Amino acid sequence: MRGGSWKIRIFIGLAIVAFAFIKRCSSKEENPYTGRVQTINMSADQEIAIGLQSAPEIAQQYGGLYPDEKLQTYVDQIGNKLVQNSIAKETPYQYDFHLLADDQTINAFALPGGPVFITYALFRQLNEAQLAGVLGHEIGHVIGRHSAERIAEGEFWQTVSTGASVGADAGGLVGGIGQNTLLKNGRGDELESDDLGVLFMINSGYQPEEMIKVMEILKAAAGPNRAPEFQSTHPDPENRIEKIQESIEKYRNQ
């Protein structure tokens, strides 16, 4: 019986892993705006719905919106300028820019489907071109469908880990591999968004070198105790600066 039970566990575990890989292969599609093949298991409409549903709660986590309508209008103008001068206007996403009240946390991020946020703590350190670089980077995350891709990849590794647990008590090992893969992919997302941000800045008439100054601001904000790159979903600012310089040369020579 023990031998039979062991074989059944192996069979079930392999079946779960096989299902995960089949589902992943059937979820592959080419991003029409970046040309990159991604694992995606939701539609653009679903991304938009997630973003709209999550935006109010996310804003509250940062103290709500900054109470100065002039500054919010300024952020809107820069964000919309980037959208209108880039491939972003061809996408189905609903870009909406939010200045958050938090004056302590230096951060900017995007939700699936178009909502983009920047904290006042970061905003007040930026000139117009640098703000354009930050917003362009976040628009890049939306166009790159990075959140949707991470959700799909996370579900894949969770299913594979379950199969490994059932079949060989190796779920922890596989889960660790999955986490490392997601970290690596997360760093790739940042570099792709930096690249798109540079392109959007150039198309909108901004000096893309200002993006390098943004990296220097982020590096200073992180301080000497920032996590090493291999422990972080974000590449080290020094590495990002090097890639940004490559992007500037690439797009200027087109």
Side-chain angles (χ1 to χ4, degrees), residues 92-124:
Y93 301 119
Q94 300 175 9
Y95 301 96
D96 197 9
F97 303 93
H98 306 272
L99 178 60
L100 298 170
D102 191 330
D103 61 0
Q104 300 296 318
T105 309
I106 292 179
N107 201 8
F109 52 91
L111 296 179
V116 173
F117 298 83
I118 182 171
T119 61
Y120 182 70
L122 176 56
F123 169 85
R124 66 185 175 191

Side-chain angles (χ1 to χ4, degrees), residues 81-152:
K81 181 179 180 180
L82 291 162
V83 171
Q84 292 305 314
N85 287 285
S86 71
I87 54 173
K89 68 179 179 181
E90 302 170 14
T91 71
Y93 301 119
Q94 300 175 9
Y95 301 96
D96 197 9
F97 303 93
H98 306 272
L99 178 60
L100 298 170
D102 191 330
D103 61 0
Q104 300 296 318
T105 309
I106 292 179
N107 201 8
F109 52 91
L111 296 179
V116 173
F117 298 83
I118 182 171
T119 61
Y120 182 70
L122 176 56
F123 169 85
R124 66 185 175 191
Q125 297 195 43
L126 306 175
N127 63 28
E128 181 179 335
Q130 291 162 1
L131 174 62
V134 171
L135 298 181
H137 171 95
E138 299 306 333
I139 292 169
H141 277 305
V142 177
I143 291 174
R145 306 188 75 183
H146 295 153
S147 293
E149 187 174 17
R150 294 290 74 74
I151 290 169

Side-chain angles (χ1 to χ4, degrees), residues 1-253:
M1 284 296 291
R2 286 182 181 177
S5 175
W6 177 78
K7 290 178 182 178
I8 291 171
R9 281 187 61 189
I10 291 289
F11 176 78
I12 294 173
L14 289 173
I16 292 172
V17 171
F19 168 77
F21 276 94
I22 291 169
K23 183 179 179 183
R24 188 191 201 193
C25 290
S26 66
S27 300
K28 293 286 186 183
E29 59 181 83
E30 182 177 317
N31 188 314
Y33 311 109
T34 66
R36 190 163 61 86
V37 176
Q38 299 172 273
T39 303
I40 302 286
N41 58 11
M42 67 176 68
S43 67
D45 286 342
Q46 288 173 311
E47 289 179 83
I48 292 168
I50 290 172
L52 289 173
Q53 184 177 357
S54 305
E57 182 181 345
I58 293 293
Q60 285 307 119
Q61 292 177 13
Y62 288 85
L65 300 179
Y66 192 77
D68 187 321
E69 290 188 13
K70 287 184 179 180
L71 292 183
Q72 178 59 61
T73 299
Y74 171 65
V75 172
D76 289 338
Q77 288 173 343
I78 305 304
N80 290 328
K81 181 179 180 180
L82 291 162
V83 171
Q84 292 305 314
N85 287 285
S86 71
I87 54 173
K89 68 179 179 181
E90 302 170 14
T91 71
Y93 301 119
Q94 300 175 9
Y95 301 96
D96 197 9
F97 303 93
H98 306 272
L99 178 60
L100 298 170
D102 191 330
D103 61 0
Q104 300 296 318
T105 309
I106 292 179
N107 201 8
F109 52 91
L111 296 179
V116 173
F117 298 83
I118 182 171
T119 61
Y120 182 70
L122 176 56
F123 169 85
R124 66 185 175 191
Q125 297 195 43
L126 306 175
N127 63 28
E128 181 179 335
Q130 291 162 1
L131 174 62
V134 171
L135 298 181
H137 171 95
E138 299 306 333
I139 292 169
H141 277 305
V142 177
I143 291 174
R145 306 188 75 183
H146 295 153
S147 293
E149 187 174 17
R150 294 290 74 74
I151 290 169
E153 290 286 355
E155 289 178 359
F156 164 74
W157 283 105
Q158 187 174 25
T159 305
V160 171
S161 180
T162 299
S165 294
V166 171
D169 294 325
L173 174 63
V174 173
I177 295 171
Q179 286 299 317
N180 287 334
T181 301
L182 292 174
L183 280 174
K184 181 180 178 182
N185 289 345
R187 290 193 286 271
D189 293 348
E190 296 302 319
L191 295 176
E192 182 174 64
S193 293
D194 284 344
D195 181 73
L196 290 169
V198 166
L199 176 60
F200 300 160
M201 290 180 76
I202 291 174
N203 289 346
S204 298
Y206 293 108
Q207 291 296 319
E209 286 82 5
E210 293 293 330
M211 181 81 96
I212 294 173
K213 295 180 182 177
V214 173
M215 293 302 111
E216 292 169 351
I217 290 170
L218 295 177
K219 183 177 180 179
N225 297 321
R226 67 180 185 276
E229 182 174 335
F230 65 84
Q231 294 178 354
S232 172
T233 56
H234 287 62
D236 186 278
E238 292 293 339
N239 292 341
R240 292 177 71 178
I241 287 172
E242 183 180 335
K243 294 294 185 181
I244 288 168
Q245 289 170 331
E246 291 176 6
S247 294
I248 292 171
E249 292 180 18
K250 175 176 68 174
Y251 291 122
R252 280 220 169 117
N253 293 327

